[in-house]
Each structure stands twice: as C-alpha cells, then as structure tokens.
Amino acid sequence: MNKAIAIVNLIAILFFLDNFNSHAQNLSNNADSLDRKWWKEAIVYQIYPRSFKDSDGDGVGDLKGIISKLDYIKSLGINAIWLNPIYSSPNDDNGYDVSDYRNIMKDFGTMADFDSLLSGMHQRGIKFVMDLVVNHSSDEHDWFKQSRSSRTNPYRDYYHWWNAEDGKPPYRYSLFDVNNDAWMYDSTTNAYYLHYFSRKQPDLNWENPKLREEVYNIMKFWADKGVDGFRLDAFGFAAKDTTFPQFPKGFEKHFSLYYSMQGNLHGYLQQMNKEVLSKYDVMSVAEGTGNTLEDAHNMVDANRHELNMAYPFEGIDLAKPEGYELIHFKEVFSKWDSTFEQSGWLGVFLANHDQARMVSRFGNDSPAFREHSSEMLTTFVLTMRGTPFYYNGDELGMTNIRFNKIEDYRDVQTLNAYQHEKNIGGDTIAYIKRKAFESRDNGRTPFQWDNITNAGFTTGTPWIKANPNYTTINEKQQDKDPNSILNYFKKIVQLRKNNLVLVYGKYTLLDKDNPDAYAYTRELNGAKFLIMLNFRSKTSTVNIVFDLSKAKLLSDNYTAHSTGNVLQPYEAVVYQLQ
Ligand code: NOJ
C-alpha cells in the first residue's frame, strides 16, 4: 500500500470511529424508559407561505416557490414544516379566514401543487404540519352564506346568532374589530353574529354536533392525503356558553379567562382524538394553553387522549419595547419545563408569524450584536426540552422592518387597531412607534434570499415591502460564509439531532439569580450537557461549579472561544461535561 492510500484509509477509519462514537452515544441516550415519538424529536421550521418565495411574479409567495426551495429547507437539517394556512381564502387575515377547507388558495397555487409539495417534503424526510383554522371560518365560506340567508336555514346553527328583537347581545370583546365589538349586526335576518376576530371571521358553533362532524371529515380529508400533523388555531376559544351570560365590566382586560377552555372544550378534543387523531400517525398541537398550568397539562396528558403538545405564550409574551427581565424569562421557561417533566410535552419557541422578529424582540439587532445575539437565542430554542418551533428567516437573523407610516402595514390587526385609535382620538404617533416594535408585519416581510431587488423574493411588486437590509442580510451571502448565522443554525440543528440528551434530558437551571446569563444542564443516562448563554452586550460571568478544563466544547458562536465561565457579549456555549 502506498503512503497516500494508507493516509486515506486512516482518515476513513477515524471518520468511521467518530461516527461510531456518536452512534454509540445516541444508543446510550436511548433509554427504554423514553417514550420516544417522532414529533418529540422533530425540529419544526415554520414557513409563512405568503412571504417565503414567489414563483410567478405576482408579489405573493406560493407553493411552487416553496417547492423550489425544498433543497434549501432540507439543507437546514430540520425535519418538519408547519405552514400557515393555505386553504381558499379572501385573505382578510392572510388565510386565517377560510372559505373552502378542501381547496388551495388561488394566490398559492392548486391542489396539484400541494400534492407535489407534500411528496417533495416526504421524499426529503420532512413531515408536514397543517394549520387548522376551525374556531372560525371566513364569512365567504358557503356555510356562512347559507347561515346568514335565513333563520331557518339548516346551516344557521353552524355559527352563533343573537336575534335583534331580544335586545343588544351581552358585550363580547373582539381582538381585531375596529370597535372591539365581537357582535356584528346583519340586516338580512335582523340578528347579530359573533366574531372573536375580524368581522370576516365569524366563530363556528362547536356546540353543534353537525359542525364538529364536518371538521373531523375535513381533518380526515387531509390526513388521508398524508399530512403528518395539525396545529389548531385559536382552538382554546372554540367552546362557548351559548346562553351568552353577561361578563363583568372590564372583562376584556383578561378576556382569555372568559374565552379560553370554556364549556366542553376537553370533550371536543377527546372526540376529535377518537374520531381522527388516534386513527393516523399525526401530531397535534393547539395554539395557546388556556389559563392555568393545569389547563395546559390536561390538554396534552397522554392518558386523557386529547392533543400531543402544548404551545404556551407566557415566554414569548415577555418581550416589551422597554425590554424584559432575564430572571423572569428564566423563571417562566423553567416553570413550563417542570410542568411537563413527568408527562405531556411542550413546544419551545421565541418567534412566529404573530410576533415581530426574534432578534429584535429578545436579542439585539444593532449591527455589532445582531449575529451573536441571533445565534445565542437560536441556541436557547434548540437546547431546551420540548419540540423547537423555529420561524423562517430567523436562521438569517432577519430583523424588524420598523415601518413609520400606517400605509406600509398590511396586517388586519395593526390596521384596525390604528383606525380604532384614530376613532377615539388616541395618540396615533405613539401607536405607530409601538407597532415598529411589536406589529406582526415585522415578522412577515419577504424572506431575504439575495441582494437583488426585493431580496430575490419576487420579480414583481411584493405584497409587503422587503426589509431594505436585504442587501447585507440574505441567504446567498450567508450560505458562502462558514461563520454566518445560517451556518451556525445548521450546526446547532445537527447537535440536537445527534444527541437525544438535548431532546429528552432532564433540564436543571443553574445560577438562577444571574441577571445577565442563562445557564442550565441537560442530563440523560450519564450524558450531561452544560449550556451557557450571555443575554447581554457586555462580558458576563456565570456562577457554576463544574471543572470546564475537563469538559468537551461542543459548540460556541464565537470563533475565538471564551475560557471557563466568562462569556463574551451574547456568547452561547454548549459543553459536554465529563
Ligand atoms: C392565531 C393566528 O396565529 C393568527 O395569525 C390569526 O390572526 C388568529 N389566530 C385568528 O385566526
């Protein structure tokens, strides 16, 4: 054997041993006691289809656009996708107002496009989680058209009506209505209909068994097509006391207490489980968790046969324009972890389509710190117990666009609340300032593929402006740079995928009173990982007892690593302790 071949062989042996070691570690992590499920081990990448990639130049993202980017998505290493709604819709609320649950929105393409998207995902080993919007439909859905046509129509009871001759209905708060009034008068039948969201999103009547049957059939239609899961939009609000009692004055300040987890909601979930979920290998996650930890737990306790995963908002709601307290942030995430330590399962996230950008809310999007703080937050999401839900564009460190005039906004919530502010003579300037931090449109600007016009998202005029920083923040440039946020994301995804300890391992908070850094361990069957995250733009010291000289550094978002327990600004390190 000549020298060159010997070296190649040696490299091959070392490579084999390295793989063998990580395989062995996986096996050692793989205790029989683990209730392993694909959806617990999944890393869910959320795609906002309207803003991801436009294939036909109409300025709106579409399914063919997503298909054209499947190899990119696969290259991230993620193994599940949650798509925001893609059903037919007049788009009052970007698809959250469905007019036909068995068809695809025209802007997005056709059912044939959907079928190829789904098979393209499956070929790449990626599961598909579908958004199911059944607390309400569109007012343009045939059910509603029938329902509003006469008081005796068979679809009348698919929605909630209050006859006007009985006087004004007891006040209900609407999240998106210009007047915040959830009852809309409809002269056709001289009655009011209920809409917790916009006027074009009438609430469905879950107390009607026929409606429930319709929804289960819709779910079966998609499950038979091969979708792998459902995310239940606003489902906590679905059950209602249809006698519509008066709520106390000012209830709207805590409307969730009156809207969420009411009546027979758990009964409906159990029925849905029996009729649909239990019959397929699908995962299920509801938006929100009710009002108490017990509500959340009850929804996902496997023995109750309801849903698989809770998706709590308490953590994501902490970010405010004036900042947030890290100690509180740690308390909240630790509390949710412990709630599901013994049973049930959790989703972990710091962003979605209803929020402004992760780095702008929880990190620091100034040029000096954007990259490190994005990576640090990403490390957090991917090293906690629970299934990570990661929002598209965060892997590039996309930032808030901070529109300074109302005309730039597209979101029904932002626009209607502005109108409301104006109607009551409120401070619209302060409103616009606040929205620059918190409007959902910050998270909905086009995905930044390239440094060409409109970030390479469309050849036409985008439905919402692209963030001008696409010239420097874009996928093409980051793909080439081994130290980019994008390439960091890919590495940390692999770290989670290769180490079950990061999925199932026990979480223990360390140095809990440290106001600047977040540190914790994850432990499973002898494997012990230490994660240390600096949430500040200055050096921070973590108070820990481990001897790091013997630990193995698995990941660091700085190329010049820190030593020991002193972290550089927004540094994120993962060690394996010996
Ligand atoms: C929650 C969804 O995430 C949000 O985008 C939507 O506006 C409301 N539900 C109403 O469907």
Side-chain angles (χ1 to χ4, degrees), residues 88-104:
S88 302
S89 165
N91 280 308
D92 186 55
D93 184 18
N94 292 355
Y96 283 97
D97 45 323
V98 179
S99 53
D100 182 351
Y101 290 96
R102 288 186 173 81
N103 255 314
I104 301 295

Side-chain angles (χ1 to χ4, degrees), residues 93 96 136 176 197 201 231 233 287 353-354 440 444:
D93 184 18
Y96 283 97
H136 46 270
F176 292 176
F197 293 93
Q201 295 170 293
R231 175 255 184 198
D233 181 72
E287 182 193 23
H353 66 292
D354 288 332
R440 316 195 283 183
R444 298 176 176 186

Side-chain angles (χ1 to χ4, degrees), residues 34-42 281 308 345 387 503-504:
L34 296 182
D35 178 24
R36 290 187 67 174
K37 294 278 185 291
W38 68 261
W39 41 267
K40 293 183 180 173
E41 294 173 27
D281 182 19
N308 297 139
W345 194 254
T387 300
V503 178
Y504 297 104

Side-chain angles (χ1 to χ4, degrees), residues 554-574:
L554 299 176
S555 168
D556 190 340
N557 65 338
Y558 272 74
T559 35
H561 306 321
S562 64
T563 44
N565 58 346
V566 180
L567 300 175
Q568 302 168 78
Y570 298 108
E571 187 165 12
V573 290
V574 182

